Amino acid sequence: MSRTRFTRRLPAAVAVAGLTLAVAACGGESSTSSEGTTAAAADQLKPNADLSQQTLQITVWDGYTPAELPQKVKEKLHVKDMKVTLHDTNEIAMTKLTAPGDSGIDVAFVSGQYAQALNAAGLLEPIHPELIPNLANLYPEATQLSYDKGNKYSVPYTWGTTGICYRSDLVKSEPKSWNDLLKPPSWADKKVTMMTTERWLALPALKALGYSLNTDKDDEIAKVKDALVAQKPHLLTYDDTTFGEKLKSGEAVMVEAWDGWCPTTDPKGNIKFVVPKEGSDLWVDTMVIMKSSKNKEAAHALINYILDPEIHSWAAENINYKVPNKAAMERVTIPKGSLLGIKPAELLNGESIIDLGQASTKYTRLSTEVTAQQ
């Protein structure tokens, strides 16, 4: 079983308000635009369209789908051609999808809050469930995601949460609170890391202070900044990608981590993961169809194909993220120590990070000010 590493999100210092500014440039239909056009759009799609006359182009993170996906799709769906373009981050995908003119993209993989922003800008095709019968494979919980209840404009691909990943053999007491990371005890001083991706940089302090992950209140964000600045002298470093390696080497003893990136299957068995008592997030990566797509029947057929249990289980087996597909997860052999066994109901305990529109710039400013602080 291979495990592919890829960068899902951009360090905050680089991701300067990409979401808000990119979408704002597109104009702003309301978030109900997809709902309002569903019936009309459905009339324009042909369930029995000749897919051999359609092509597909998707944009996705490197390593997030099987390398042989285009060839398999051409064989299975008989589309004329399929191309894959890669993006390193949500922000790069947004730049591509919101640029003037036709991006040529039919299906894009972006995180839930970014799908929400694209829909608010009127850029997404409503999902036509009659063309995706494999939607029935999703867990019921996956149809009730706060940014898109009913999967009206997005289909979830992977989901998970954020917590503290730690070396059980190197800590003197096992972490239970985000404060264990924010105010590390003396034995962990300069042996903890935090992620800098802006909403995740703020997450531990927001939860420790009892605030919503989606707060836009200036006084609460100011207190989060104070907590993060006070933490800095006690950090080993900020690290969004290699914190697992630092744990394995013993350079770090506790790190903020996405569940799928915490190497709990390490053969030595010393690396553990915990969701702190104050709670955490529920992150979701999705598939969306662009309204500009000229191959919408093929785009729906592609999503239906990916939701096939045999195909969708690939993601859990190869990138170590849970998939919101009950039939697919039932096919997966869960390795010892793996976090793939976290139940949907447990994930739903997490708070979804949603798009805050222009208020997102407050988090960009927060992360810039914190990371620049000497």
Side-chain angles (χ1 to χ4, degrees):
M1 180 182 296
S2 63
R3 298 291 186 198
T4 303
R5 290 290 184 187
F6 55 93
T7 304
R8 298 176 60 248
R9 300 174 175 89
L10 198 64
V14 183
V16 183
L19 172 62
T20 302
L21 297 181
V23 173
C26 299
E29 295 183 26
S30 74
S31 60
T32 59
S33 57
S34 287
E35 300 175 33
T37 58
T38 299
D43 291 338
Q44 298 169 8
L45 299 187
K46 301 174 182 176
N48 298 315
D50 181 3
L51 300 187
S52 68
Q53 300 302 309
Q54 298 192 17
T55 61
L56 279 171
Q57 185 168 354
I58 72 171
T59 183
V60 64
W61 293 278
D62 191 10
Y64 217 38
T65 54
E68 64 274 21
L69 182 66
Q71 185 60 37
K72 285 189 172 181
V73 167
K74 284 191 284 187
E75 293 173 359
K76 182 70 175 180
L77 303 182
H78 306 295
V79 297
K80 185 186 300 182
D81 195 14
M82 178 174 170
K83 295 180 179 178
V84 177
T85 62
L86 302 177
H87 57 255
D88 290 334
T89 67
N90 276 305
E91 289 78 6
I92 291 174
M94 293 294 281
T95 299
K96 183 187 309 181
L97 298 173
T98 60
D102 183 2
S103 67
I105 299 297
D106 299 294
V107 176
F109 287 67
V110 293
S111 296
Q113 65 270 33
Y114 292 80
Q116 180 187 4
L118 287 170
N119 185 59
L123 296 177
L124 296 186
E125 174 71 11
I127 294 297
H128 302 269
E130 71 277 11
L131 299 184
I132 311 179
N134 282 337
L135 284 170
N137 291 330
L138 295 178
Y139 287 105
E141 292 89 342
T143 67
Q144 298 301 314
L145 301 167
S146 61
Y147 62 86
D148 182 20
K149 289 190 176 181
N151 308 125
K152 293 175 181 173
Y153 55 81
S154 65
V155 176
Y157 180 66
T158 56
W159 60 358
T161 190
T162 306
I164 299 177
C165 184
Y166 64 98
R167 281 283 298 264
S168 60
D169 57 325
L170 297 181
V171 298
K172 292 188 177 180
S173 60
E174 300 200 345
K176 297 178 180 178
S177 166
W178 286 116
N179 282 316
D180 294 320
L181 206 61
L182 294 165
K183 304 173 184 176
S186 57
W187 49 262
D189 196 48
K190 296 187 183 300
K191 294 182 179 179
V192 301
T193 72
M194 290 273 287
M195 294 191 288
T196 55
T197 308
E198 51 196 55
R199 301 294 292 274
W200 282 269
L201 171 65
L203 186 155
L206 285 169
K207 284 300 182 186
L209 291 165
Y211 302 150
S212 166
L213 297 183
N214 300 303
T215 184
D216 60 358
K217 296 178 180 176
D218 291 335
D219 60 333
E220 294 182 352
I221 293 174
K223 290 181 180 177
V224 166
K225 177 185 173 182
D226 291 343
L228 294 175
V229 169
Q231 178 201 36
K232 282 198 72 173
H234 306 287
L235 282 177
L236 170 64
T237 188
Y238 294 109
D239 186 346
D240 293 70
T241 55
T242 63
F243 46 75
E245 298 306 314
K246 289 182 173 65
L247 276 178
K248 289 180 181 179
S249 70
E251 187 180 8
V253 298
M254 292 189 291
V255 302
E256 180 191 10
W258 294 303
D259 51 346
W261 284 30
C262 180
T264 53
T265 56
D266 185 70
K268 294 180 180 177
N270 293 323
I271 298 179
K272 310 292 184 184
F273 179 86
V274 63
V275 174
K277 62 183 181 182
E278 298 92 347
S280 188
D281 66 333
L282 164 63
W283 62 257
V284 184
D285 289 338
T286 74
M287 299 175 282
V288 298
I289 298 174
M290 302 306 296
K291 184 167 285 184
S292 58
S293 168
K294 298 178 178 62
N295 308 286
K296 293 187 175 70
E297 288 91 352
H300 281 80
L302 170 67
I303 292 176
N304 189 61
Y305 176 72
I306 289 175
L307 292 183
D308 182 284
E310 181 179 354
I311 306 304
H312 208 178
S313 60
W314 177 94
E317 293 172 341
N318 288 274
I319 59 178
N320 208 26
Y321 281 149
K322 294 170 289 299
V323 297
N325 184 321
K326 184 175 186 293
M329 286 303 297
E330 288 174 348
R331 296 175 56 93
V332 175
T333 299
I334 298 177
K336 182 179 180 181
S338 171
L339 300 172
L340 290 174
I342 297 176
K343 303 298 183 186
E346 296 175 70
L347 286 178
L348 267 289
N349 288 332
E351 182 180 6
S352 293
I353 296 178
I354 64 173
D355 174 40
L356 297 177
Q358 289 297 326
S360 296
T361 58
K362 296 181 181 182
Y363 285 90
T364 303
R365 184 165 58 249
L366 167 73
S367 58
T368 300
E369 292 175 351
V370 168
T371 54
Q373 187 82 26
Q374 299 299 316

